[in-house]
Amino acid sequence: MSYKPTFFNNFAAKFYTTYQKVKMKFVFIVNPISGTKGKQHIVKLLPDYFEEGSYAIRYTERAGHAEELAREAAAQGTEVVVAVGGDGTVNEVACGLVHTATALGIV
């Protein structure tokens, strides 16, 4: 049996209905050295909830990188950018999405 974190199941359930109707584009920005250790499980679960090509996974490489990645995703028309990491990652992603139409998701 595979490990499926409850918080991700809740996230996926909330967005699944909307996603099916609209075919939204998602970018998951993952900080591999912050937050919980469950990030690896979240990344492995994405194909179970999203169609191939409807999402991208970006890993941060340095301080401030999450903000850059979020800005790029918004500029490319991504509907939802999801921060996967700690509070610093969430802050950087949120800063990158200020004054855009892109929604912020937090895992």
Side-chain angles (χ1 to χ4, degrees):
M1 181 190 318
S2 65
Y3 170 75
K4 293 193 177 191
T6 303
F7 56 85
F8 185 75
N9 288 342
N10 292 339
F11 165 77
K14 288 178 183 177
F15 284 99
Y16 188 72
T17 304
T18 302
Y19 167 73
Q20 288 300 316
K21 293 179 184 175
V22 182
K23 299 294 183 193
M24 299 170 74
K25 293 180 184 177
F26 290 79
V27 171
F28 290 82
I29 298 179
V30 181
N31 185 337
I33 60 169
S34 73
T36 66
K37 294 181 181 180
K39 291 183 296 295
Q40 297 84 1
H41 298 294
I42 292 166
V43 171
K44 289 178 186 175
L45 288 171
L46 293 177
D48 294 342
Y49 293 96
F50 298 94
E51 292 179 15
E52 187 176 335
S54 68
Y55 69 94
I57 302 166
R58 303 286 184 257
Y59 291 92
T60 61
E61 299 173 357
R62 63 189 175 281
H65 195 209
E67 185 172 346
E68 294 172 25
L69 293 172
R71 278 196 190 118
E72 290 172 10
Q76 294 171 355
T78 300
E79 286 90 1
V80 181
V81 174
V82 182
V84 183
D87 58 345
T89 304
V90 172
N91 182 53
E92 285 189 19
V93 172
C95 287
L97 297 179
V98 170
H99 303 298
T100 72
T102 301
L104 169 65
I106 302 170
V107 178

